[in-house]
Amino acid sequence: MPAPSASADSPLPDGSPDTVEAAARATRSLQGLSPELTSRVPQLLEAMRSVGTGLELHITLDRICETAAELADAHYAAIGVVSEDGEGLSDFVYHGIDEETAERIGRLPDGHRGLLGALIHQPRTLRLADLSADPRSCGFPAHHPPMRSFLGVPIRVQGEIFGNLYLTEKRDGAEFNDYDVHMVRVLATEAGIAIGNARLYEAAKQRERWIDGSVAVTTALLSGSDAEEALSVVAEQARHLSDSAAGIVLLPDDEGGMEIVAVSSDEPNGALGVIVPPESRIVADLLEGEAVFIDDAASDPRIMTEIARAYGPVMMLPLQSDGRVLGTLVTPRARGARPFSEAERTLATQFASQAALALMMAEAQRDRERLAVYEDRDRIARDLHDLVIQRLFATGMMLESAQRRSVVPEVQVGVGRAVDELDVTIQEIRTAIFALQQGPAEAPSGLRTRVLREINMAAVPLGFKPSHHFVGPVDAVVGELTGKNLIAALREALSNAFRHAQAARIDVVVDSTVVLPDGQHGVRLTVADDGVGIAEGGRRSGLKNLKRRAESLGGDSWYGPGIGEDGGGTTVVWEAPY
């Protein structure tokens, strides 16, 4: 019998919406054919069995390419996955080209032009003796291996075009024949079924990962983590789940813009503390509760920060709950990375809603804690003023009276010194009272003053005042962003010392004359105590926060032995460039 017809315009099975029926028709059409074709049926069946094995999508695509190349005796095979908008390729899986050659070739085809682009808009079987002679061909890039014979077959998944299977360079140097076309069509039909199953499996696994990420955020909040740590967890989980280069959380600032308050990234990028100005159209959309999706941040005219221009596809999702926009979650991918799919956008939006709820709970918890602290500070300030200062003042008057009655010069001198010490103590207590009664908006701007304020505030729960020492022109050289983070680091270190160290002495040093390992000038904060040290197996969340905060600015943080006997206690060091 004559070989089956396999022209480029043949509608079956490419045009059939029912892939199972198409496979059955294609297989029945093999009956009664030539011995050459009949002898290849077992090979086809084995190929179909191989393609249907496994559920991982990319592994399935690799297997289809390899199987198709073996079935048609071709040197090279590839699958171009059509993007969601149908205008190009979102993925390109190849077989037969080694990694070294692929690196020399460079960028993979995008399907926007040439023969591959034509097959996207006209998905039908195409066989060519010499693909370079086709007017739609745009040639090959440098270092690309020569290819002449060509066979392209569309792959449909549940009636919709998924992509195209390409075969090139038949091994015997001949053209692809009718038998090859028929076999590859059947294989493409089976591949459509296998790809459909793999996509369903991958979608289920993806949803499971996003749900686990939402649980991790909620758990971090309910475990008693502070608001800053909860935001860091949101950023880290979003980066991991969306397969992005970074995870970033922004909160509205007082000027109407948005400030980056949490960053998760493998490499420090200096993004923490950066302000996106209110003039940005993106900020206006986000504050209105609208999600923003960008295909290429490097070329988008709406981008107003240089940091964002280092990325490619970006999702910007408002952290919105109960009609209130609390902030924004940003997940950027590297330049040249694939854009976010519709499924990824949907899952990320749902994750952002869950994160917003967690953020509201963290804010409510922070308000309760702040109120309790303010109430406690007011009580302590009243007690210090009404009881302690009055008693110290009365004690001083008694000592002055005793000094006047004494006729021994040594006693008069000693009592006079004690009275002077009491006067200094009273002044320090009054400074502490003033600091306790200050609100957040009244915080002074000088870094020295802010450091002293934190030390004075810590003196109340500690029961003693930590010593302090400044090196260099601290107020003149340390910028606002670094200064703000240094104060937060000092607060964290003093809080850890109060809660865990059981220390009798704490020394605080702020040195603005240090040179960092990379040669930059920076500021170093050292908080050393003579306490019990860090217990083996104890929590390190506070120390991790310090290190993460320093690294986000291009600095570092570490800890070591303290200032107690034989190195007892802990020394925490935090440094960052100006």
Side-chain angles (χ1 to χ4, degrees):
M1 292 189 63
S5 173
S7 68
D9 298 322
S10 178
L12 187 65
D14 298 345
S16 174
D18 189 340
T19 55
V20 177
E21 178 61 23
R25 293 181 186 177
T27 304
R28 286 197 300 269
S29 68
L30 296 174
Q31 298 176 357
L33 297 178
S34 67
E36 178 183 352
L37 185 56
T38 304
S39 65
R40 297 174 66 179
V41 170
Q43 184 185 8
L44 173 62
L45 296 176
E46 176 60 24
M48 294 171 67
R49 185 202 64 78
S50 175
V51 165
T53 304
L55 288 173
E56 296 291 342
L57 181 56
H58 217 276
I59 294 176
T60 299
L61 297 179
D62 285 332
R63 188 181 294 113
I64 292 170
C65 287
E66 182 179 357
T67 304
E70 293 177 359
L71 187 64
D73 200 22
H75 274 285
Y76 309 105
I79 292 178
V81 181
V82 178
S83 59
E84 290 185 350
D85 60 9
E87 295 300 323
L89 298 177
S90 62
D91 198 3
F92 191 82
V93 181
Y94 55 87
H95 168 77
I97 297 179
D98 59 76
E99 292 302 319
E100 183 179 350
T101 303
E103 289 181 5
R104 290 201 303 268
I105 294 173
R107 189 173 181 178
L108 295 172
D110 56 17
H112 289 151
R113 60 194 183 96
L115 194 58
L116 301 189
L119 287 175
I120 292 175
H121 298 289
Q122 296 178 331
R124 58 193 181 95
T125 300
L126 178 64
R127 179 175 47 169
L128 300 171
D130 184 359
L131 59 88
S132 63
D134 191 284
R136 295 168 293 184
S137 177
C138 59
F140 295 112
H143 309 294
H144 198 287
M147 296 180 181
R148 294 177 59 84
S149 55
F150 175 86
L151 176 59
V153 178
I155 298 176
R156 286 182 167 84
V157 176
Q158 296 179 345
E160 297 182 356
I161 288 294
F162 171 82
N164 290 283
L165 172 61
Y166 316 111
L167 297 167
T168 61
E169 203 63 14
K170 196 168 173 68
R171 290 187 183 276
D172 56 9
E175 302 177 28
F176 290 102
N177 56 37
D178 292 344
Y179 305 128
D180 296 324
V181 172
H182 218 81
M183 291 287 190
V184 173
R185 278 181 165 180
V186 175
L187 180 67
T189 304
E190 177 64 23
I193 299 172
I195 291 170
N197 293 335
R199 290 173 80 179
L200 289 173
Y201 173 78
E202 191 165 277
K205 294 294 289 183
Q206 191 177 45
R207 284 194 296 271
E208 181 181 353
R209 289 194 300 269
W210 281 95
I211 291 171
D212 289 343
S214 298
V215 171
V217 170
T218 305
T219 302
L221 177 67
L222 296 180
S223 64
S225 301
D226 58 22
E228 181 178 322
E229 187 171 348
L231 291 176
S232 297
V233 172
V234 171
E236 184 175 349
Q237 288 291 332
R239 175 174 75 97
H240 171 70
L241 294 169
S242 62
D243 192 23
S244 298
I248 302 170
V249 176
L250 301 91
L251 296 182
D253 70 349
D254 296 334
E255 304 298 325
M258 303 196 82
E259 179 184 1
I260 297 177
V261 297
V263 178
S264 173
S265 177
D266 288 334
E267 298 182 3
N269 53 19
L272 192 66
V274 171
I275 303 292
V276 182
E279 295 79 14
S280 170
R281 286 182 291 167
I282 292 178
V283 168
D285 291 339
L286 292 171
L287 293 177
E288 288 293 326
E290 299 179 12
V292 177
F293 301 101
I294 297 174
D295 293 332
D296 183 19
S299 58
D300 195 293
R302 296 173 295 175
I303 298 296
M304 298 184 67
T305 58
E306 290 302 318
I307 293 175
R309 294 194 181 280
Y311 297 107
V314 181
M315 285 193 295
M316 298 184 179
L317 308 169
L319 296 170
Q320 186 173 215
S321 181
D322 219 10
R324 178 186 171 197
V325 177
L326 306 174
T328 297
L329 175 62
V330 181
T331 56
R333 282 179 175 164
R335 294 186 66 176
R338 64 178 178 84
F340 293 97
S341 67
E342 195 62 39
E344 288 174 322
R345 294 181 179 187
T346 301
L347 291 170
T349 301
Q350 294 171 351
F351 175 84
S353 298
Q354 179 68 26
L357 179 59
L359 186 59
M360 284 192 67
M361 295 173 65
E363 187 178 30
Q365 177 178 325
R366 187 166 61 251
D367 288 342
R368 290 194 299 270
E369 293 174 350
R370 185 184 295 116
L371 180 60
V373 169
Y374 286 160
E375 290 176 347
D376 205 30
R377 284 166 56 177
D378 286 343
R379 178 187 58 78
I380 293 171
R382 287 194 304 271
D383 291 345
L384 287 173
H385 183 272
D386 297 341
L387 300 176
V388 178
I389 288 183
Q390 297 299 328
R391 288 180 179 178
L392 288 174
F393 186 73
T395 302
M397 293 182 64
M398 292 170 61
L399 288 172
E400 286 180 342
S401 176
Q403 184 185 32
R404 287 193 298 270
R405 295 194 192 100
S406 176
V407 295
V408 181
E410 292 82 358
V411 173
Q412 289 181 336
V413 172
V415 172
R417 289 176 180 172
V419 171
D420 292 340
E421 288 294 328
L422 283 176
D423 287 339
V424 172
T425 302
I426 290 172
Q427 291 301 319
E428 289 182 345
I429 292 176
R430 283 175 173 166
T431 301
I433 292 172
F434 176 73
L436 286 168
Q437 292 175 334
Q438 276 188 320
E442 302 170 37
S445 57
L447 182 57
R448 282 174 177 263
T449 310
R450 283 183 283 173
V451 169
L452 292 174
R453 177 173 178 264
E454 292 296 329
I455 291 174
N456 288 329
M457 289 176 61
V460 176
L462 284 169
F464 64 92
K465 182 179 178 180
S467 67
H468 63 272
H469 181 55
F470 295 96
V471 181
V474 173
D475 284 339
V477 298
V478 180
E480 179 62 26
L481 175 61
T482 301
K484 182 169 64 174
N485 282 277
L486 184 145
I487 293 298
L490 173 61
R491 187 180 302 128
E492 179 79 31
L494 291 175
S495 175
N496 288 340
F498 164 66
R499 289 181 294 174
H500 309 299
Q502 302 177 25
R505 175 188 168 194
I506 297 177
D507 295 341
V508 177
V509 179
V510 180
D511 186 353
S512 62
T513 65
V514 301
V515 178
L516 303 183
D518 61 0
Q520 294 188 80
H521 293 283
V523 60
R524 177 180 296 156
L525 167 69
T526 305
V527 181
D529 65 63
D530 62 350
V532 298
I534 300 176
E536 290 292 332
R539 291 187 62 189
R540 303 287 198 276
S541 59
L543 296 171
K544 289 179 180 177
N545 285 341
L546 291 174
K547 190 172 184 66
R548 184 165 51 236
R549 183 183 292 277
E551 289 178 344
S552 68
L553 298 171
D556 197 6
S557 179
W558 64 90
Y559 63 92
I563 54 177
E565 186 176 353
D566 298 326
T570 306
T571 296
V572 176
V573 181
W574 185 96
E575 63 182 21
Y578 296 148

